[in-house]
Amino acid sequence: MTDIEYLKKYYNGDINNAIKRLEMGEPVQYIVGNVDFFGYKINVDKRVLIPRYETEELVENTIKYIKKYFSLPVDILEVGTGSGCISIALKKELENINITASDISSDALEVALSNAKENNADINFVNTDIYKGINKKFDCIISNPPYISKDEKIMDIVYNNEPHLALFADNNGLYFYEEIIKNAKNILKDKYLICFEIGESEAESVTSYAYRYLNNPKVIVKKDLEKRDRMIFIHNFE
């Protein structure tokens, strides 16, 4: 489906004005105002990153691991929730789980809270940087953090519209992976699962952080539908 066809199908306003916005480089998702993520309506605007299908794959695999290896209830922390799409999908798809979702952006959390209410998903949102002020233990940490290097060139439509806070990270895009893993032992329960979406060239570095900071972890790298390294699952269960 082309962007024009998408507009004609889903946009309820002035279609001619919408096409002009599209021609000026605005993402179709922001013009329509929402996306389908894992079967749930997620409202989006320039305060939050547009959810991608790769992130649906992260959610799908996380659900499989939780169902296979954990007894409910399960406590989950999402770091950098953005629109709230990951936490909402997990809350709706898994019974008897408790989710805390953090983000440093108060603007993003406004969107996430609205999306959670619209989807009737009970999530504890926290306006903080990674783990600051979070004083409980979790079975699972999940994150799709900013992972683009600040000197990497990306498509104009992304660079000119989506929040840079949600796109770019220091240390060649690896900053948040190291920070999340380095301090994870302080908030993880004895049996744990850490789930990341990653850039396609970052698997080796993120794996090295897991071995550096955690005690004998097991690391699984999974590819997306385009056969690119896209997800890492770090755990300590058999």
Side-chain angles (χ1 to χ4, degrees):
M1 184 184 299
T2 67
D3 285 347
I4 296 291
E5 291 170 337
Y6 189 89
L7 280 177
K8 290 180 177 178
K9 183 173 183 179
Y10 295 108
Y11 187 67
N12 296 321
D14 182 341
I15 191 65
N16 292 322
N17 180 60
I19 292 172
K20 288 180 182 178
R21 291 168 63 186
L22 188 67
E23 291 172 344
M24 293 180 67
E26 187 173 350
V28 66
Q29 296 91 340
Y30 287 159
I31 299 171
V32 172
N34 62 76
V35 299
D36 180 287
F37 182 85
F38 222 82
Y40 303 100
K41 179 184 175 184
I42 303 296
N43 295 316
V44 293
D45 58 34
K46 290 191 175 185
R47 292 174 289 176
V48 296
L49 198 71
I50 298 168
R52 268 78 168 176
Y53 70 88
E54 295 96 339
T55 309
E56 290 183 310
E57 295 181 68
L58 174 69
V59 170
E60 181 179 14
N61 281 277
T62 299
I63 290 170
K64 289 178 181 178
Y65 282 122
I66 289 176
K67 285 183 174 180
K68 183 175 182 179
Y69 291 108
F70 290 90
S71 298
L72 299 177
V74 172
D75 293 304
I76 299 173
L77 171 66
E78 183 190 1
V79 176
T81 192
S83 67
C85 62
I86 290 176
S87 287
I88 290 167
L90 290 174
K91 184 65 177 180
K92 300 298 287 186
E93 295 294 318
L94 291 166
E95 296 181 357
N96 199 17
I97 63 169
N98 305 304
I99 298 186
T100 297
S102 71
D103 206 294
I104 198 171
S105 169
S106 57
D107 288 337
L109 285 176
E110 288 180 5
V111 179
L113 182 60
S114 175
N115 280 324
K117 288 180 177 179
E118 185 165 331
N119 284 281
N120 193 28
D122 182 15
I123 297 166
N124 176 35
F125 290 105
V126 182
N127 187 190
T128 191
D129 184 10
I130 307 181
Y131 305 140
K132 289 180 180 177
I134 296 176
N135 300 308
K136 64 175 291 187
K137 298 277 188 177
F138 296 89
D139 303 281
C140 174
I141 297 170
I142 187 168
S143 184
N144 175 22
Y147 59 70
I148 300 172
S149 174
K150 290 186 175 179
D151 61 2
E152 182 178 340
K153 183 171 177 54
I154 61 175
M155 292 185 296
D156 287 344
I157 193 170
V158 176
Y159 186 88
N160 294 332
N161 290 279
E162 300 191 57
H164 289 194
L165 189 65
L167 292 170
F168 299 103
D170 291 330
N171 189 22
N172 294 316
L174 296 166
Y175 172 82
F176 289 99
Y177 298 113
E178 183 170 16
E179 289 300 305
I180 291 169
I181 295 171
K182 180 169 63 177
N183 299 297
K185 60 185 178 182
N186 297 323
I187 64 165
L188 284 172
K189 298 181 184 179
D190 292 338
K191 180 180 177 181
Y192 67 80
L193 172 66
I194 303 173
C195 313
F196 287 126
E197 181 174 325
I198 61 169
E200 60 183 306
S201 65
E202 295 175 331
E204 183 177 350
S205 295
V206 177
T207 298
S208 73
Y209 295 146
Y211 289 125
R212 182 186 308 173
Y213 295 114
L214 298 172
N215 183 25
N216 195 31
K218 298 176 177 65
V219 180
I220 301 168
V221 179
K222 285 186 175 288
K223 297 184 183 296
D224 61 20
L225 294 176
E226 302 296 327
K227 306 302 181 185
R228 298 169 297 190
D229 288 344
R230 186 60 66 192
M231 295 155 279
I232 283 190
F233 299 91
I234 305 164
H235 65 87
N236 67 343
F237 43 79
E238 298 299 329

